Amino acid sequence: MELILGQIPWIVMPIIFPLIGSMACFLFPAKAKSLGLLTSLVVLACVTRLGWQLKALGSLRYPMGGWGAPLGIDLYADGLSLLMLLMAALVGLGISIYSSSYFSRDKARHFWPLWLFLCGALNALFLSADIFNLYVTLELLGLTAVALVALAGGADALIAAMRYLLVSLLGSLFYLLGVALIYHSVGSLDIAILAQRVEPSPAMWTAVGLISTGLLLKTALFPMHFWLPPAHASAPAPVSALMSALVVKASFYILLRMWLEFFQTQGAAFANFLGLLGAAAVLWGGIQALRQTQLKLLIAYSTVSQLGYLFLAFPLGTSIAWKGALYMLFSHAMAKAAMFMAAGNIQFFAGHDRIAELGSITQRLPLTLTAFALAGISLMGLPPSGGFIGKWLLLQASIESGQWWWGIILLLGGFLAAGYVFKVIAHVFTHDEPTSRTVTLPATMEWSALGLALIAVLLGLFTYWPLAMLEMGSPFGTGHSG
Amino acid sequence: MNWSTALPLLILASSFLPGLIIFCLPEDRVVTRTILNLAGALFKIVLVGGMFWGILHGYHFEARLTLLPGLDLVLRSGPLAMLFVTLSSGLWLVTTVYAVGYLEGSPHRSRFFGFFSLCVTATTGVALAGNLITFLLFYELLTLCTYPLIVHRGTEIARQAGRNYLIYTIIGGALLLLSSVWLYTLAGTLEFTDRGFLSGLDASLHPTLMIIFCLLIAGLGVKAALVPLHGWLPQAMVAPAPVSALLHAVAVVKAGAFGIIRVVYDVYGIEFANSLGLTLPLAILAAVTIIYGSLRALFQDELKRRLAFSTVSQVSYIVLGIALASPIATLGGLIHLVHQGVQKITLFMCAGNLAETLGIHKISEMNGVGRRMPWTMAAFTIGAFGMIGAPPLAGFFSKWYLGLGALDAGQGWVIYVLAVSSALNAAYFLPILYTAWFKAPPDSWPAERSFGNKETAWTLLVPPIVTALLTLALGLLAFAPFNLLEWTRLIVSRGFA
Amino acid sequence: MSNIYLYALLGVGLFILGIYSLIVYANLLRKILAINVMCTGVFLVLVSLASRNHNVQPDTVPHAMVITGIVVAVSATALALILMLKINKAIGKSEFPDKDCE
């Protein structure tokens, strides 16, 4: 048995299965729900198995179909990609469970194939070993995400989707132009080869500038975040969840990967610039979130703020800082997905998401509010939660490197987060009569939100595996990043 | 998993698990909820007793979970931890009984008792924490669990108080986080050790250590209600009486004071802190708080508000005792940790009885209430005299040792502070007692509820009487075998070379 | 040599022209066309930079990239067009409703 299991190229499976699942859902819409759930489970299993393999090997390179570079496609996995895969698989399972009750039959027909396709594109992106494949997967991801946002159907959603599409294409084109320059000056697309050959030159600087612009646009880093709140807020709840939790992380992952492998040579000024933008995002996003009157917009601005934290690691640059940022990314994915699901539950139950009128609803939805509160703990960075561990590590890195001002931003961001989380939570404790609405909320929708929120909290207690995972293949090791 | 690891975890679980189950209970399952509450509280006391037995027989209890490389979550038994854990678990039982009676028939009781249990879990976690990060974890958890209790009534004033409480405590928590991380980067460990772990650091780091000390005290001072960080405490008294009792006597304020003890003794070490010149400013801050709290209390007509300012003042006795850097003063501060808890919980429960039974909230409404509710007011009187420091009640011994310690430390001015504050204590408590016992009762009370021929429900009456008796016993039996003084002497002896 | 760079510069010019139109014009169809012009610009850069010097056969990899890119661009355009039509149906015009759209 072990012999057979050992022969299977597990690295391919997280890409293949969602694509097959997507096709199957498209062909048999009546069975889409169970097919989708099954696919999500299988993907999680495959990722776990891949993790098992990586535990022994450290990192893994796999030429698909045996063709090899330059024309074939190589896949590459190490601890960093495994972490991202695992995040996508866990959130994905949660979203699948949630969506199995959320969508009407008509919408479900479109949702499942698109969602599984997006899942496949995402996994392919995390496993890509060259920068052009990253472009292709990025485009696939962007296009499916746009279609999913448009699924909500109203004028708002369509306009938000259109804006998102234009931004996404613009970002990809910047990226592609940068890739062209890199290929011209280095003669390779493979990340590992680039890491050895790249030398600072005007062409490289331009390329780094173009690629970063494109990716930052897609990651919605302040001040290029304008498209995110409408797109994330007007989409159906599970789509908002997957957009905020996963899709924006994909472009961040590419930037991080390139940074670790060969961007670092571009000097500290650029890193500081990214840090500054991140700090501005933390504060601006937080303040905007505090000002919102609609729950989903509040959560969307919170994403803008939380994404800012990730960029604080660039100027710090130490292994501890990266781990902190990635821990934050991972727990943000869980917490934010849970939060959007909770908001979806409230909207499903009440028919609106106006924060001022939540008092009468929240008392009817204790589980949903618990999920929201637990996710909020992680966003605020209070212990015990994954957000706390991330904040601790980033704070430690900022003090150790003497750049304490980034630490101040972390603390201020925490205050803002506490402000907007409790702005919502405070509505639980009112005298408003519980509403007499008789909508029944499917239990799966409440429990999937709670499950993800619990993972975000438990990440603050059980840190051994996630941190050990990040060590695999030592993506932050000094020898590796050159 | 052996007893050494299991017992600290069980102590936490004995309130955590009932709390979780209570959240899930429907509102009308009163009996189940009460049984769970009381069983949890009793079980916790049994477990703490077991831990005591173990410690006396030379066992060592410790549970560890690695959080980050070189940084564990640690729950550990030690003399100081046992002092606080015994206090909080003992008073929790009393408060639970009281809360069951107090909240009878009010809405959202499952939510209330759920958070009530989590709150005590966090407090015992604070007590048993074996290093600074564990302490921080439970300290923040305590903030989160007390917020729903403060805003429980859901009125605009309650929500305003809750908001202010959060603003204060979250900023305090952030300062604590910042200073913990900073200490960790300097020292490479956060483990509480007798006489501290920082004295070995290079002398060039001493200014940094002084800044961190200020940050730590500011972070902890919020909960300990040191002036000028006390603003949330008088507001928070809008919460139901059991919550006030919990806040002022068992959990929040005590967690802050306990944290200061930990920082001064087990992080910096009292001698090292003294050599850095940090203890005298802390003592002065505590003295200012003592006087300021007493003065403000003098002018409050609302009973709970007067008690709240009294807490601001009294908790700083603990800090003062710690900061005087003398073994005897420390002894006084530590026993006051217990004494203040027992006395203040009595006073708050009595105030709650007056409000629940007769609708009395203001001191000016208390004319002759002693004749209507003799038992409640008798308990209140004992508590109040304890606070003033009249012998032979518990509070007397706190002040006695604090005074002796001040002389021992060569800080004679503290005697004046103690004298003035005792006079002020008398000035704001004695008029209450006079009004209650000697003035003629009015024809009708603001909002009287009838309990047959008893003065009030027995669940409301028994807890304050028990704690009042405890106040007496702690004073009268101060030198009996197995007493509090011996135990605190043991704690103190570990802190001084 | 200079020939190659001329084409590459032309590509960059198209790219910039595209960005300009994308920002300036409100009509969605124009925006979509602008994106397509940008695509063409990038492809031109890729193709022209493929031949490093005159004597050697041009590198095939950028050509493969361009073909992939064209496929992506076509499907993106199709999606954009259908979205535009739906927006037109929903709000009666092919523009973003507010002024500061990009």
Side-chain angles (χ1 to χ4, degrees):
Chain A
M1 189 64 189
E2 182 53 36
L3 202 66
I4 302 166
L5 285 176
Q7 293 291 315
I8 299 174
W10 289 103
I11 193 167
V12 188
M13 296 304 148
I15 306 172
I16 297 287
F17 275 114
L19 294 181
I20 295 174
S22 169
M23 294 296 240
C25 285
F26 184 70
L27 292 175
F28 310 105
K31 292 262 177 286
K33 204 185 284 182
S34 26
L35 281 169
L37 278 170
L38 183 69
T39 311
S40 289
L41 273 173
V42 170
V43 169
L44 184 59
C46 291
V47 170
T48 318
R49 181 66 215 197
L50 175 65
W52 201 256
Q53 217 169 8
L54 282 177
K55 201 179 135 206
L57 296 172
S59 67
L60 183 65
R61 204 180 171 86
Y62 181 78
M64 259 170 85
W67 288 96
L71 284 179
I73 296 173
D74 277 10
L75 297 181
Y76 176 78
D78 61 5
L80 178 57
S81 22
L82 182 65
L83 182 89
M84 303 301 277
L85 286 172
L86 190 64
M87 169 185 88
L90 281 173
V91 174
L93 184 60
I95 286 174
S96 287
I97 295 172
Y98 186 85
S99 308
S100 63
S101 324
Y102 182 87
F103 286 105
S104 63
R105 182 168 288 275
D106 177 45
K107 287 268 164 61
R109 214 163 49 110
H110 296 109
F111 171 78
W112 287 104
L114 281 170
W115 153 229
L116 291 178
F117 195 81
L118 183 138
C119 184
L122 201 60
N123 289 343
L125 189 146
F126 294 143
L127 290 169
S128 287
D130 75 67
I131 55 178
F132 186 72
N133 269 335
L134 284 172
Y135 163 75
V136 176
T137 50
L138 199 59
E139 281 287 37
L140 292 179
L141 187 68
L143 295 182
T144 36
V146 168
L148 281 168
V149 171
L151 205 60
D156 280 352
L158 288 172
I159 288 163
M162 186 74 197
R163 189 165 292 165
Y164 179 39
L165 174 62
L166 291 178
V167 167
S168 176
L169 288 174
L170 186 65
S172 307
L173 287 173
F174 269 106
Y175 179 87
L176 189 58
L177 196 58
V179 169
L181 281 179
I182 288 185
Y183 187 75
H184 177 68
S185 52
V186 185
S188 173
L189 294 167
D190 191 280
I191 293 177
I193 297 175
L194 287 174
Q196 290 159 5
R197 288 205 208 147
V198 163
E199 276 157 19
S201 67
M204 268 312 289
W205 291 332
T206 322
V208 168
L210 287 167
I211 289 181
S212 304
T213 313
L215 291 174
L216 295 182
L217 195 59
K218 281 174 169 269
T219 317
L221 180 65
F222 178 89
M224 290 175 278
H225 65 280
F226 56 89
W227 60 268
L228 184 145
H232 286 202
S234 59
V239 178
S240 312
L242 70 91
M243 295 277 291
S244 258
L246 304 178
V247 175
V248 283
K249 308 286 164 57
S251 39
F252 176 78
Y253 166 80
I254 300 179
L255 187 65
L256 177 64
R257 182 61 91 181
M258 291 192 166
W259 186 270
L260 291 172
E261 302 287 353
F262 57 90
F263 273 17
Q264 257 169 357
T265 48
Q266 305 307 314
F270 189 48
N272 274 319
F273 178 65
L274 285 180
L276 269 180
L277 288 185
V282 169
L283 301 181
W284 179 253
I287 291 168
Q288 287 298 316
L290 266 177
R291 293 182 51 206
Q292 298 308 312
T293 52
Q294 305 257 308
L295 185 55
K296 285 187 82 178
L297 270 172
L298 181 147
I299 304 174
Y301 271 107
S302 149
T303 300
V304 173
S305 172
Q306 297 276 327
L307 287 172
Y309 283 136
L310 308 181
F311 288 90
L312 298 184
F314 285 86
L316 297 171
T318 56
S319 160
I320 291 179
W322 292 123
K323 280 180 192 159
L326 285 167
Y327 216 92
M328 217 143 201
L329 176 144
F330 196 85
S331 32
H332 174 252
M334 304 297 153
K336 194 46 69 72
M339 217 174 223
F340 263 122
M341 289 176 183
N345 288 347
I346 289 171
Q347 199 159 28
F348 191 96
F349 186 78
H352 69 83
D353 69 338
R354 289 182 291 278
I355 297 171
E357 294 164 37
L358 287 183
S360 54
I361 301 144
T362 49
Q363 302 183 5
R364 294 280 305 275
L365 300 174
L367 278 182
T368 296
L369 261 289
T370 310
F372 188 95
L374 290 179
I377 292 177
S378 184
L379 293 190
M380 289 185 270
L382 291 182
S385 71
F388 171 74
I389 300 290
K391 195 179 258 190
W392 178 282
L393 290 171
L394 278 173
L395 208 52
Q396 189 184 338
S398 84
I399 293 175
E400 272 175 357
S401 63
Q403 306 183 42
W404 47 268
W405 46 90
W406 304 122
I408 303 286
I409 297 292
L410 278 170
L411 296 183
L412 289 178
F415 297 150
L416 288 169
Y420 60 71
V421 169
F422 276 103
K423 182 181 172 180
V424 179
I425 297 286
H427 284 282
V428 178
F429 306 98
T430 55
H431 273 315
D432 301 354
E433 268 306 297
T435 166
S436 52
R437 280 179 78 96
T438 49
V439 183
T440 41
L441 194 61
T444 44
M445 284 169 64
E446 294 214 89
W447 283 102
S448 50
L450 191 62
L452 286 176
L454 271 178
I455 295 180
V457 167
L458 289 178
L459 274 172
L461 289 176
F462 303 99
T463 51
Y464 178 77
W465 282 108
L467 288 176
M469 204 180 349
L470 280 173
E471 298 276 349
M472 287 177 188
S474 60
F476 314 111
T478 43
H480 193 68
S481 57
Chain B
M1 189 68 117
N2 52 16
W3 278 109
S4 153
T5 331
L7 202 53
L9 294 176
L10 275 176
I11 288 183
L12 287 194
S14 65
S15 50
F16 184 69
L17 295 180
L20 288 190
I21 301 171
I22 287 169
F23 274 124
C24 308
L25 282 180
E27 205 53 38
D28 52 355
R29 298 282 295 275
V30 181
V31 178
T32 321
R33 190 165 52 227
T34 311
I35 289 175
L36 268 172
N37 265 321
L38 293 179
L42 285 170
F43 191 48
K44 191 187 280 282
I45 289 182
V46 169
L47 289 171
V48 172
M51 198 180 242
F52 251 114
W53 182 89
I55 290 177
L56 291 176
H57 286 78
Y59 291 98
H60 184 69
F61 299 98
E62 184 177 279
R64 250 172 212 280
L65 172 74
T66 300
L67 199 60
L68 295 169
L71 207 52
D72 297 349
L73 286 181
V74 187
L75 295 173
R76 191 190 302 134
S77 67
L80 185 57
M82 290 317 291
L83 183 77
F84 192 32
V85 90
T86 314
L87 174 76
S88 53
S89 53
L91 292 186
W92 183 42
L93 175 64
V94 180
T95 323
T96 305
V97 174
Y98 185 78
V100 169
Y102 189 88
L103 288 168
E104 207 174 273
S106 71
H108 305 304
R109 271 174 296 167
S110 285
R111 185 179 83 195
F112 181 89
F113 282 105
F115 282 115
F116 207 68
S117 302
L118 290 190
C119 198
V120 174
T121 311
T123 313
T124 32
V126 163
L128 293 174
N131 61 14
L132 205 50
I133 191 172
T134 318
F135 180 86
L136 175 69
L137 188 151
F138 287 107
Y139 190 80
E140 294 281 38
L141 204 61
L142 187 60
T143 306
L144 294 174
C145 307
T146 37
Y147 169 78
L149 297 177
I150 291 177
V151 294
H152 180 73
R153 289 211 204 272
T155 56
E156 192 42 51
I157 307 172
R159 290 171 59 190
Q160 182 68 40
R163 201 149 45 227
N164 277 327
Y165 174 68
L166 278 181
I167 292 173
Y168 275 96
T169 47
I170 286 193
I171 293 179
L175 292 180
L176 198 57
L177 169 67
L178 175 66
S179 34
S180 307
V181 178
W182 204 347
L183 277 183
Y184 181 64
T185 57
L186 295 180
T189 175
L190 290 175
E191 210 84 356
F192 292 144
T193 355
D194 295 338
R195 275 169 259 154
F197 54 80
L198 294 174
S199 52
L201 290 183
D202 193 67
S204 63
L205 289 172
H206 285 182
T208 319
L209 289 179
M210 286 160 81
I211 297 173
I212 299 177
F213 187 81
C214 296
L215 288 173
L216 281 167
I217 296 298
L220 295 162
V222 167
K223 280 215 171 92
L226 288 178
V227 170
L229 306 170
H230 65 287
W232 62 271
L233 184 62
Q235 290 190 354
M237 57 86 214
V238 299
V243 177
S244 302
L246 194 75
L247 245 56
H248 288 252
V250 188
V252 178
V253 177
K254 281 297 155 60
F258 184 75
I260 294 179
I261 301 177
R262 281 293 197 198
V263 165
V264 174
Y265 278 83
D266 295 346
V267 174
Y268 279 74
I270 182 70
E271 274 144 8
F272 182 58
N274 204 15
S275 72
L276 288 179
L278 294 167
T279 46
L280 187 61
L282 184 60
I284 293 173
L285 182 67
V288 170
T289 309
I290 290 172
I291 303 289
Y292 176 85
S294 303
L295 279 174
R296 287 295 303 271
L298 209 50
F299 299 105
Q300 309 299 329
D301 185 33
E302 208 167 328
L303 181 58
K304 281 179 80 180
R305 223 175 139 76
R306 185 174 289 194
L307 293 180
F309 276 109
S310 159
T311 304
V312 172
S313 162
Q314 293 280 341
V315 168
S316 279
Y317 278 62
I318 305 169
V319 181
L320 182 66
I322 302 310
L324 283 176
S326 127
I328 304 174
T330 309
L331 187 70
L334 288 177
I335 56 174
H336 199 59
L337 184 84
V338 177
H339 291 168
Q340 190 270 349
V342 177
Q343 289 165 176
K344 191 43 71 67
I345 206 168
T346 315
L347 294 174
F348 265 106
M349 289 193 290
C350 292
N353 282 359
L354 296 181
E356 268 304 279
T357 319
L358 303 176
I360 291 175
H361 297 280
K362 295 195 168 134
I363 296 160
S364 51
E365 297 166 339
M366 285 176 69
N367 290 346
V369 76
R371 282 173 229 176
R372 169 67 178 77
M373 301 182 73
W375 287 102
T376 302
M377 282 320 290
F380 188 92
T381 309
I382 294 178
F385 274 113
M387 281 296 180
I388 297 168
L393 297 172
F396 167 74
F397 289 96
S398 314
K399 293 193 180 174
W400 177 256
Y401 283 106
L402 280 174
L404 280 184
L407 293 179
D408 180 46
Q411 307 281 352
W413 56 274
V414 172
I415 302 284
Y416 296 107
V417 173
L418 290 175
V420 170
S421 123
S422 295
L424 287 168
N425 289 164
Y428 65 75
F429 274 125
L430 291 181
I432 305 180
L433 300 181
Y434 175 78
T435 316
W437 290 111
F438 298 112
K439 284 202 177 163
D443 298 332
S444 70
W445 303 101
E448 187 167 359
R449 276 166 64 193
S450 173
F451 291 92
N453 54 359
K454 294 175 297 179
E455 63 177 73
T456 185
W458 70 267
T459 41
L460 296 181
L461 196 54
V462 172
I465 291 178
V466 168
T467 50
L469 289 177
L470 204 56
T471 310
L472 265 174
L474 281 170
L476 290 173
L477 306 177
F479 300 101
F482 287 118
N483 61 42
L484 179 64
L485 275 172
E486 277 310 309
W487 192 257
T488 31
R489 274 216 181 88
L490 173 66
I491 302 173
V492 172
S493 69
R494 295 162 62 112
F496 289 87
Chain C
M1 188 71 183
S2 60
N3 222 1
I4 298 164
Y5 281 105
L6 200 65
Y7 283 118
L9 278 177
L10 185 64
V12 172
L14 281 175
F15 188 80
I16 293 169
L17 201 66
I19 295 184
Y20 174 78
S21 317
L22 184 67
I23 295 169
V24 166
Y25 293 108
N27 192 298
L28 289 178
L29 188 58
R30 278 178 183 260
K31 281 180 188 286
I32 294 167
L33 285 175
I35 290 274
N36 274 284
V37 170
M38 286 174 74
C39 282
T40 316
V42 177
F43 297 153
L44 195 56
V45 173
L46 271 171
V47 170
S48 58
L49 292 184
S51 54
R52 296 172 161 242
N53 49 51
H54 287 293
N55 309 330
V56 186
Q57 279 262 309
D59 192 346
T60 48
V61 174
H63 295 177
M65 282 156 71
V66 169
I67 291 172
T68 319
I70 288 173
V71 175
V72 172
V74 167
S75 36
T77 311
L79 181 62
L81 287 173
I82 194 84
L83 267 179
M84 188 190 80
L85 289 178
K86 286 212 164 191
I87 289 177
N88 201 339
K89 211 180 213 171
I91 65 171
K93 56 177 182 177
S94 307
E95 282 174 23
F96 287 133
D98 49 336
K99 200 73 188 76
D100 59 337
C101 34
E102 281 295 335

